[in-house]
Amino acid sequence: MIKLLIIEDEATLSNNIKEILTDLGEITQAYDGEEGLFEAESGMYDLILLDLMLPEKNGYEVLADLRAKNIHTPVLILTAKDSLEDKVTGFQKGADDYLTKPFYREELIMRVKALLKRSLGLFAENQLAYKQLTCNLATKEVLANDQVLPIQGKEFDLLVYFIQNKGVILTKEQIFDRIWGFDSETTITVVEVYMSHLRKHLKPTEIDKCFKTLRNVGYILQKD
């Protein structure tokens, strides 16, 4: 499941943005800069939509703090500040795109889709691919050489997360927060259980061998 974070202090506008983007993934809302930064630092999100004029901490500060901490989640600035200087500052601070208010519904959707496609490697058909695997994000099916594999639910989410981050070390804590949520009532040991199931279901494709366990740290999926 794609996860989006909206950092916008105007509740009505935040809810409107959420309604526009609701079909694209799971959406979390934050209403000031401090709350938004706290959420964004979790690394759980695939895209952040960031207002600039926020209470507690402005959008420029949020963006600068994230990039200083090597958090490279794509950021789309949504703001009424439309001068060239404002836009240049936004990009210098690390923004990936900049859209001024008011904006058209269709343009927002297209900007978000373009950023997700670039950062997650999504195909136009809403699919992810790794070697002979194809993950359909709409139907939540995994195919290997046109055969459906029995990978569903959290296992599917786990596989997608690894493909989106192939070549990157993912700690057990990161995986747990992303797939189950840090407010989940289960324990972090569930990560090992689901990794075992996922590897078992991938064994016929030999892609299970592409996952490496880093003792006391986490896992990494080799680049294809």
Side-chain angles (χ1 to χ4, degrees):
M1 173 67 72
I2 290 172
K3 297 193 177 186
L4 308 176
L5 173 62
I6 301 171
I7 308 176
E8 166 62 62
D9 62 318
E10 294 183 24
T12 299
L13 178 56
S14 178
N15 289 335
N16 287 341
I17 295 170
K18 180 178 180 180
E19 188 274 330
I20 291 171
L21 301 177
T22 189
D23 290 338
L24 296 183
E26 180 181 310
I27 297 174
T28 299
Q29 295 165 280
Y31 299 97
D32 64 60
E34 290 286 0
E35 180 188 7
L37 180 60
F38 174 78
E39 284 287 345
E41 285 177 336
S42 70
M44 290 171 51
Y45 298 98
D46 300 302
L47 177 66
I48 299 167
L49 295 95
L50 177 66
D51 184 25
L52 291 181
M53 294 180 285
L54 294 166
E56 306 300 333
K57 186 184 287 281
N58 69 47
Y60 289 135
E61 294 172 323
V62 171
L63 187 52
D65 285 351
L66 288 176
R67 298 313 188 222
K69 294 175 181 178
N70 290 317
I71 297 172
H72 300 294
T73 306
V75 173
L76 169 58
I77 290 177
L78 296 176
T79 180
K81 297 168 74 68
D82 60 357
S83 73
L84 177 60
E85 182 180 357
D86 291 324
K87 293 178 182 179
V88 169
T89 300
F91 284 115
Q92 287 177 336
K93 296 289 186 182
D96 296 270
D97 201 354
Y98 196 109
L99 184 59
T100 55
K101 305 172 185 175
F103 47 79
Y104 291 103
R105 174 191 184 99
E106 293 78 9
E107 183 175 12
L108 175 61
I109 293 172
M110 293 306 297
R111 295 285 189 103
V112 168
K113 284 185 174 181
L115 286 173
L116 290 172
K117 181 178 180 181
R118 189 170 72 202
S119 64
L120 302 181
L122 294 177
F123 291 102
E125 298 84 4
N126 208 26
Q127 295 179 343
L128 280 173
Y130 179 81
K131 297 187 182 295
Q132 70 266 43
L133 290 184
T134 301
C135 299
N136 188 310
L137 302 184
T139 63
K140 292 202 169 184
E141 283 186 333
V142 180
L143 286 82
N145 301 319
D146 295 325
Q147 297 295 316
V148 177
L149 300 181
I151 296 174
Q152 301 174 336
K154 298 295 186 186
E155 268 186 66
F156 178 87
D157 295 339
L158 188 59
L159 177 60
V160 166
Y161 188 40
F162 272 103
I163 294 175
Q164 290 171 343
N165 293 277
K166 53 183 179 289
V168 177
I169 296 172
L170 297 177
T171 67
K172 292 180 182 178
E173 289 77 12
Q174 285 176 305
I175 296 168
F176 182 79
D177 289 348
R178 169 66 189 225
I179 306 301
W180 285 271
F182 45 81
D183 58 350
S184 173
E185 295 182 359
T186 189
T187 64
I188 200 168
T189 56
V190 73
V191 174
E192 296 178 13
V193 174
Y194 273 78
M195 281 300 301
S196 176
H197 292 330
L198 179 59
R199 280 172 158 155
K200 178 181 178 182
H201 288 143
L202 289 172
K203 194 169 184 178
T205 68
E206 296 192 347
I207 290 178
D208 59 308
K209 299 175 183 177
C210 298
F211 287 89
K212 301 300 179 185
T213 301
L214 305 174
R215 190 174 181 182
N216 298 324
V217 177
Y219 308 89
I220 185 171
L221 175 63
Q222 295 176 342
K223 289 186 177 180
D224 52 358

